Amino acid sequence: MELSTKYNPQETESKWLKFWKDKNVFHAEPAPSKKPFTIVIPPPNVTGILHMGHALNNTLQDILVRYKRMKGFEALWMPGTDHAGIATQNVVEKQLAKEGKSRHSVGRQEFLKRLWAWKEENGNTIISQLEKLGSSCDWPRTRFTMDDEYSEAVKEVFVLLYNKGLIYRGERIINWCPRCQTALSDEEAEHKDKNGKLYYIKYPISHPERSEGSLKKQHIIVATTRPETMLGDTAVAVNPKDERYIKFIDKTLVLPLVGREIKVISDDFVAAEFGTGAVKVTPAHDPNDFAMGQRHQLEIVNIMHPDASINEEGGPYKGLDRFEARKRIVADLEAQGLLVKIEDHKHAVAHCYRCETIVEPRLSKQWFVKMKPLAEPALEAVQKGQIKIHPGHWAKVYVNWMENIQDWCISRQIWWGHRVPVWYCVGDDHCQLKCKEPIVSKTAPEKCPHCGSKNLKQDEDVLDTWFSSWLWPFATLGWPKTNEDLKYFYPTDTLMTASEILFFWVARMVMAGYEFMGKKPFSDVLIHGTVRDAKGRKMSKSLGNAIDPLEIIEEYGADALRYSLIINSGQDIFISKEKFEIGRNFANKIWNASRLVFMNCGSILKEFSHSERNEESLNINRLDLPSRWIIARFYDTLQNVSRAIEEFRYSEAETLIQDFFWGNYCDWYLELVKAKFNDINIQKTALFVLKNALKIMHPFIPFVTEEIYSKLNTKDECLSIANWPELNEQLIDKVAAQQMQVILDSITAIRNIRAQWNIKPNESINAFVVTPGTWLRLLQENCADIQRLARIDQLNIDVKAVNLKNTATALVGTTYGAIKVFVPLEGIVDLESEKKRMNADIMEKKKSIDGLNARLNNPDFVSKAPVDVIAKEKERLGSLNKEVCELNSILANLS
RNA sequence: GGGCGGUUAGCUCAGUUUGGUUAGAGCAUCUGACUUACAUUCAGAAGGUCGAGGGUUCAAUUCCUUCACCGCCCACCA
């Protein structure tokens, strides 16, 4: 049972991936004797390729799931992918484009066939990449949002909500992506500040009143950022209180370039301060204008084709793209002297979140979900703390959104997705009246319920992808069917996600949970940061600053990737390639420490590896101080790490682990006991601590720990399903830490002295210990260790010699924690400079003393400060005075 | 425009909830060490007016307030 000299992450990782898979280690089943713990994965897009965001998100989930699994929960991590409507369709459309075809040219059926073929071939890429990361999902359960069963859930929900009156069809201004040629929800339209222009255009009055006498008044100037939409103007609006325009209200204007006569209306919506205070009203192309149009019964003129080119309403501009039309219209206006000026204007422009195309507000008939009634319980759940969002400040963002929620446009004019389960009767003439009503049904109706016509047509649209993913926590468990899985694993426990999809997904899942299950979907939501490059920019392919997680896995291993990501995670994570070295180094450290222990504990390793409760063979009273200390330190770390995981403070948990394993176990414990490994108790302790440390490290760095554990313990099937260590109070020696500190301090003190005065290893050091006698014994007992680690040949410890005046040879010393170590310095150091240094030291201390005295003499302080604070200050004053005394007497000796 | 967060060492961040010794890490820098588990290592050092002003207090990095700068989210002012 030996470990190779060099750790090979790639080999080890593939070995354990195979093992886990073959043994189906991560499978979870309803188990009445155990408590369930459930996480559902935020389903990555089928088109997805593993990026750092995935790596972070899934590592966080994996840590928690592995921890809970070891804690004895029946831990289910439900994996799956999302069909990602527009994104996936885009991929296949691009393929078609290469063949010179379009989705329309091949037709809906053929296109869908292609999509499914693409999915079958490539849809699993992201899943296998997540697997590589070490994600302990129950992989055979992998769901896809367009699985048959899952689709049933989607249809069920549509019908339920429709029957409840919460889904309706309406003609509205929606966000339209001219490239994808589909509606987008408000959340899918990303607003970005753009430097645009504000165009001021003259709209002449059609019947100018000559009596006014002033030529200036013969037109109204309107300001717009989208001059091309003027082709669809059906009014100009002003604020009713705006005195400049009162006389124009109800007059008619001539729409330039078009010649249509339009009215001047008054509406409170118009802000007198903006632009000229007069707004052109284009009901078909702006949501506000649409609303105004409704209020004033204005005509609606749609001027664009779905691809945002101008339609026949645009007269001479017909066929032009919207931006081309804009240029031409501006030029034409200028030619006619109607363009007053163009100003720079910074404003938010909506872009398609998939293809970045500028969104065009467009009037169209879409399906909507009424959100207010759904939002109420979801809002309350967070406000009352039934669902906790971490970090807490995100709850405010959530509440803010929920309180201002708008209806959700769920229909999309694409083909990849769940087709809207609605049919229309297009049949026989004799029943037109009633048949206008849509037929909403989970299955295709045979005939129209009103007229009996069999000539039915299904709605062409599909549903927003999020309309399926908002059901994820229960639809993946089999809903709408009821089954054991659903009963046992729902509600899930923790949801981990990036802030970007808080509204898209998290908020809607909460609503769906309450609406369809009557229960919250999860209890905790952890919002983690975004992975950025070293300069703080988002990682993206287009910027070329992305670090490929697969490359890191290849080079350093998945362990290193995971460990480094987590330890660097604060809010956002700034990452450069070198940051991953820490993970690689730590895995290497674990490997080598284990090698050392294995090499030295060979005699009992076999026996040890067979027994589960090794602690029983540990007799705490027989252990030396370092062993008692490291065990106490382990249990301390165990508690802190457990707490940190439960409280979602993962980077802190890793820091605790690293401090313990690297800083205590390797740097101190193993160094201290290295020379004494023939002691069977030390062997036992070293193995015991190593084994348990592997357990608490495992969720964070699963592969290397699994590999070493497999050599250390042949009883468990594997570490992934081993038990999390339990606290064993009997093994904790409470004073060990304090005592050990004295040893560590003394070693450090002597090391300092050696370095400072350049003492050679073969020189002896007389350490005069100014501490209570008990510690003297401690130091004497551990003298050999101190000597070895401080790298001196001889260490003479003598408490009786602490009469500073008698050590006339001059002493110089160092104080470190509890002890002071003095060494003769004659011939070692320049006395004059040493005196100077000490004088400076004294001065500084005196200054502190003065400050303290002033405070302690302040009657306010004495009367108002708590007693313990005063006591501490007095104590400090005392010790400072003492130090000054000592220094003075040394100084006196020096002279 | 509304909301939320941040500003602590050269860099990345802890700490501040509940004010109280000398404000902590890691990386980077510098100095030492070839100590046979590990140079992917070990031991040290240096580095801070805790963004600025004001207030409360015996005491403020911590609480309150104003300001500056940075970031994020939301938003139909054309």
Side-chain angles (χ1 to χ4, degrees):
Chain A
M1 275 190 251
E2 271 197 13
L3 300 175
S4 61
T5 26
K6 195 128 187 107
Y7 176 54
N8 183 335
Q10 288 71 27
E11 205 175 278
T12 307
E13 288 176 10
S14 55
K15 168 183 165 188
W16 287 100
L17 284 173
K18 187 169 181 309
F19 181 95
W20 292 333
K21 195 170 200 166
D22 290 349
K23 302 258 166 140
N24 207 10
V25 167
F26 307 127
H27 181 60
E29 277 291 326
S33 61
K34 290 163 99 182
K35 275 198 207 157
F37 180 83
T38 316
I39 287 186
V40 288
I41 204 169
N45 292 350
V46 270
T47 53
I49 301 167
L50 191 76
H51 57 63
M52 279 299 170
H54 292 126
L56 171 68
N57 176 251
N58 289 287
T59 301
L60 288 166
Q61 294 176 81
D62 193 50
I63 289 169
L64 187 56
V65 172
R66 283 181 184 271
Y67 166 77
K68 290 284 181 181
R69 191 178 290 121
M70 290 175 82
K71 270 271 196 180
F73 287 83
E74 186 66 19
L76 169 63
W77 184 6
M78 176 69 79
T81 50
D82 185 304
H83 67 277
I86 299 176
T88 313
Q89 177 160 322
N90 283 353
V91 170
V92 177
E93 278 191 297
K94 267 184 204 154
Q95 276 184 0
L96 281 176
K98 273 187 198 154
E99 302 167 26
K101 296 175 187 165
S102 77
R103 67 167 153 134
H104 297 284
S105 73
V106 298
R108 187 164 190 150
Q109 279 222 317
E110 174 60 23
F111 187 62
L112 283 176
K113 231 168 136 186
R114 288 243 188 179
L115 272 156
W116 276 106
W118 185 91
K119 191 260 167 186
E120 289 313 315
E121 203 180 318
N122 307 296
N124 231 25
T125 308
I126 183 77
I127 292 291
S128 64
Q129 289 171 338
L130 289 173
E131 234 176 318
K132 245 186 156 176
L133 189 66
S135 308
S136 62
C137 293
D138 190 350
W139 294 112
R141 282 186 188 263
T142 303
R143 298 286 192 274
F144 177 55
T145 46
M146 275 171 68
D147 285 344
D148 288 345
E149 270 193 20
Y150 201 105
S151 301
E152 283 307 305
V154 174
K155 282 185 237 168
E156 175 86 16
V157 159
F158 190 96
V159 173
L160 278 174
L161 289 178
Y162 181 81
N163 291 339
K164 226 179 157 181
L166 292 180
I167 283 186
Y168 63 90
R169 194 168 187 233
E171 195 152 58
R172 298 287 180 79
I173 299 280
I174 43 84
N175 302 295
W176 181 267
C177 175
R179 202 215 63 84
C180 305
Q181 302 221 0
T182 179
L184 299 172
S185 69
D186 290 341
E187 288 70 34
E188 286 168 328
E190 288 184 342
H191 292 265
K192 290 178 197 169
D193 266 352
K194 275 272 157 77
N195 288 317
K197 306 272 186 215
L198 192 57
Y199 303 85
Y200 289 78
I201 305 168
K202 277 184 200 170
Y203 281 24
I205 292 176
S206 38
H207 309 290
E209 290 173 31
R210 302 214 171 269
S211 57
E212 287 279 327
S214 160
L215 286 165
K216 279 187 283 184
K217 298 280 180 195
Q218 307 224 334
H219 57 256
I220 287 182
I221 299 171
V222 299
T224 179
T225 53
R226 293 187 296 153
E228 69 279 8
T229 61
M230 68 174 292
L231 300 173
D233 283 2
T234 51
V236 164
V238 299
N239 190 291
K241 289 184 195 121
D242 192 336
E243 299 199 348
R244 292 173 293 178
Y245 297 112
I246 284 178
K247 55 181 162 260
F248 291 106
I249 294 170
D250 289 336
K251 298 255 159 65
T252 10
L253 305 171
V254 181
L255 184 59
L257 309 179
V258 180
R260 184 163 60 229
E261 294 216 320
I262 58 174
K263 258 172 86 176
V264 178
I265 60 170
S266 70
D267 196 292
D268 286 327
F269 164 77
V270 181
E273 318 81 56
F274 187 88
T276 59
V279 189
K280 58 192 266 319
V281 183
T282 324
H285 294 279
D286 183 281
N288 294 311
D289 293 6
F290 180 76
M292 267 195 277
Q294 300 274 291
R295 286 197 285 274
H296 299 270
Q297 283 94 43
L298 296 178
E299 196 193 338
I300 297 170
V301 180
N302 187 335
I303 59 155
M304 282 183 199
H305 289 125
D307 66 354
S309 64
I310 306 297
N311 64 16
E312 43 291 333
E313 291 287 348
Y317 305 101
K318 184 186 166 191
L320 291 178
D321 175 73
R322 53 186 165 159
F323 298 116
E324 189 53 34
R326 178 178 300 177
K327 274 186 212 158
R328 291 271 296 273
I329 285 171
V330 169
D332 290 349
L333 285 169
E334 191 162 23
Q336 297 186 22
L338 293 172
L339 185 67
V340 182
K341 59 176 172 175
I342 303 175
E343 273 179 0
D344 285 331
H345 181 63
K346 205 173 176 180
H347 64 138
V349 180
H351 294 71
C352 172
Y353 84 128
R354 279 293 166 218
C355 69
E356 303 270 300
T357 305
I358 293 180
V359 166
E360 192 66 34
R362 186 166 193 268
L363 184 67
S364 69
K365 215 167 200 182
Q366 304 288 344
W367 288 96
F368 294 88
V369 178
K370 224 178 252 178
M371 295 303 265
K372 275 258 148 58
L374 295 176
E376 268 165 36
L379 177 61
E380 203 182 286
V382 167
Q383 281 174 329
K384 291 198 173 160
Q386 282 143 6
I387 295 176
K388 292 192 196 74
I389 304 185
H390 315 266
H393 69 259
W394 285 105
K396 294 181 193 166
V397 180
Y398 173 97
V399 165
N400 195 280
W401 187 74
M402 279 291 186
E403 282 173 343
N404 299 299
I405 197 158
Q406 302 293 313
D407 285 357
W408 175 16
C409 174
I410 51 168
S411 42
R412 297 289 180 277
Q413 289 65 48
I414 57 174
W415 291 345
W416 178 239
H418 303 274
R419 195 153 172 186
V420 175
V422 171
W423 284 260
Y424 306 98
C425 177
V426 284
D428 318 320
D429 295 338
H430 62 270
C431 67
Q432 287 164 333
L433 283 175
K434 283 188 174 175
C435 299
K436 295 245 162 149
E437 267 200 30
I439 308 156
V440 176
S441 164
K442 278 163 69 178
T443 50
E446 287 204 357
K447 54 185 185 183
C448 172
H450 305 298
C451 69
S453 163
K454 289 192 175 174
N455 195 2
L456 302 176
K457 215 179 145 206
Q458 188 171 4
D459 198 302
E460 292 291 325
D461 292 354
V462 301
L463 293 162
D464 181 8
T465 305
W466 301 101
F467 192 82
S468 53
S469 36
W470 73 325
L471 314 175
W472 192 248
F474 47 90
T476 49
L477 289 165
W479 189 89
K481 289 189 196 128
T482 50
N483 60 34
E484 286 307 307
D485 276 352
L486 195 60
K487 275 189 223 156
Y488 185 76
F489 290 114
Y490 190 90
T492 74
D493 292 275
T494 309
L495 183 87
M496 303 205 179
T497 186
S499 59
E500 290 106 78
I501 53 175
L502 183 60
F503 306 132
F504 273 121
W505 191 49
V506 181
R508 286 172 184 158
M509 271 193 293
V510 178
M511 294 188 248
Y514 281 104
E515 178 67 19
F516 305 113
M517 295 295 294
K519 275 189 224 165
K520 62 183 172 185
F522 32 71
S523 330
D524 294 276
V525 178
L526 179 72
I527 310 268
H528 61 248
T530 311
V531 183
R532 296 168 183 281
D533 71 1
K535 288 177 189 161
R537 299 171 305 182
K538 263 192 188 174
M539 285 194 176
S540 73
K541 266 190 221 152
S542 54
L543 273 173
N545 62 346
I547 300 176
D548 182 359
L550 296 166
E551 210 175 279
I552 301 291
I553 291 178
E554 187 104 338
E555 198 173 335
Y556 294 151
D559 273 343
L561 170 70
R562 296 168 53 119
Y563 188 83
S564 311
L565 267 181
I566 298 303
I567 206 155
N568 278 301
S569 64
Q571 295 221 335
D572 279 356
I573 303 174
F574 300 84
I575 265 318
S576 56
K577 205 168 170 195
E578 309 83 67
K579 295 252 173 132
F580 292 98
E581 287 171 9
I582 183 61
R584 177 197 60 176
N585 296 358
F586 188 53
N588 184 256
K589 191 74 186 175
I590 298 173
W591 185 260
N592 280 298
S594 305
R595 274 184 66 210
L596 175 71
V597 174
F598 279 37
M599 281 167 157
N600 286 289
C601 302
S603 60
I604 65 157
L605 192 51
K606 201 165 181 188
E607 178 199 342
F608 184 91
S609 69
H610 279 78
S611 64
E612 171 55 25
R613 296 187 61 80
N614 314 98
E615 55 264 48
E616 279 164 8
S617 68
L618 280 178
N619 184 344
I620 190 79
N621 298 319
R622 295 218 187 117
L623 300 182
D624 64 341
L625 178 61
S627 295
R628 295 201 306 274
W629 168 74
I630 198 66
I631 291 170
R633 279 292 301 122
F634 168 74
Y635 282 115
D636 192 32
T637 308
L638 169 69
Q639 287 175 285
N640 289 334
V641 167
S642 307
R643 200 179 313 124
I645 297 176
E646 305 265 3
E647 291 168 7
F648 308 114
R649 291 176 283 116
Y650 294 160
S651 79
E652 191 183 324
E654 275 194 4
T655 308
L656 286 164
I657 281 173
Q658 193 179 306
D659 284 352
F660 168 72
F661 191 81
W662 199 325
N664 295 159
Y665 186 70
C666 294
D667 288 349
W668 282 119
Y669 183 68
L670 292 182
E671 290 299 334
L672 276 163
V673 302
K674 229 181 204 173
K676 312 190 264 186
F677 256 127
N678 51 0
D679 180 342
I680 196 92
N681 281 318
I682 283 176
Q683 291 187 26
K684 278 183 186 168
T685 310
L687 280 168
F688 170 77
V689 175
L690 175 63
K691 182 177 139 187
N692 283 294
L694 289 172
K695 286 184 173 182
I696 64 171
M697 293 191 286
H698 176 257
F700 302 89
I701 188 157
F703 295 99
V704 68
T705 49
E706 185 80 89
E707 173 69 14
I708 298 166
Y709 191 81
S710 72
K711 315 244 154 144
L712 235 176
N713 186 308
T714 48
K715 250 191 120 229
D716 288 342
E717 191 176 12
C718 66
L719 180 53
S720 296
I721 47 174
N723 293 324
W724 190 254
E726 271 171 47
L727 187 63
N728 184 342
E729 302 268 6
Q730 274 155 12
L731 286 181
I732 302 175
D733 178 346
K734 290 200 175 101
V735 291
Q738 205 186 358
Q739 292 183 336
M740 191 64 188
Q741 202 56 49
V742 176
I743 310 290
L744 302 187
D745 284 348
S746 62
I747 293 169
T748 312
I750 295 169
R751 277 178 182 167
N752 283 351
I753 291 171
R754 282 197 58 233
Q756 206 169 343
W757 290 293
N758 201 17
I759 296 168
K760 304 283 177 303
N762 53 12
E763 281 176 77
S764 69
I765 287 188
N766 294 301
F768 298 99
V769 182
V770 190
T771 49
T774 45
W775 286 353
L776 173 74
R777 221 192 69 221
L778 204 64
L779 290 174
Q780 281 168 339
E781 276 169 12
N782 293 281
C783 196
D785 286 337
I786 298 173
Q787 218 175 301
R788 191 162 49 80
L789 290 194
R791 288 185 33 81
I792 47 173
D793 278 354
Q794 273 211 308
L795 174 65
N796 310 313
I797 300 172
D798 184 3
V799 79
K800 286 172 203 134
V802 175
N803 190 340
L804 292 166
K805 279 180 188 152
N806 293 344
T807 53
T809 40
L811 284 171
V812 74
T814 225
T815 307
Y816 210 90
I819 76 152
K820 296 173 209 310
V821 179
F822 292 96
V823 292
L825 58 72
E826 211 166 18
I828 295 176
V829 77
D830 171 36
L831 284 187
E832 284 312 306
S833 65
E834 188 55 30
K835 272 195 236 171
K836 261 187 207 159
R837 199 188 59 82
M838 289 173 83
N839 267 319
D841 202 10
I842 290 169
M843 289 307 288
E844 207 157 289
K845 290 210 158 91
K846 278 190 171 161
K847 230 170 154 184
S848 306
I849 290 170
D850 287 347
L852 272 176
N853 269 326
R855 183 181 291 189
L856 284 164
N857 289 330
N858 182 338
D860 280 332
F861 176 74
V862 177
S863 61
K864 285 175 188 164
V867 215
D868 59 316
V869 172
I870 297 174
K872 269 183 198 165
E873 298 281 57
K874 277 186 179 159
E875 205 178 295
R876 205 177 125 224
L877 182 67
S879 66
L880 273 171
N881 272 321
K882 221 164 131 196
E883 277 166 32
V884 170
C885 265
E886 279 167 13
L887 282 169
N888 274 327
S889 69
I890 293 170
L891 211 51
N893 280 335
L894 284 178
S895 330

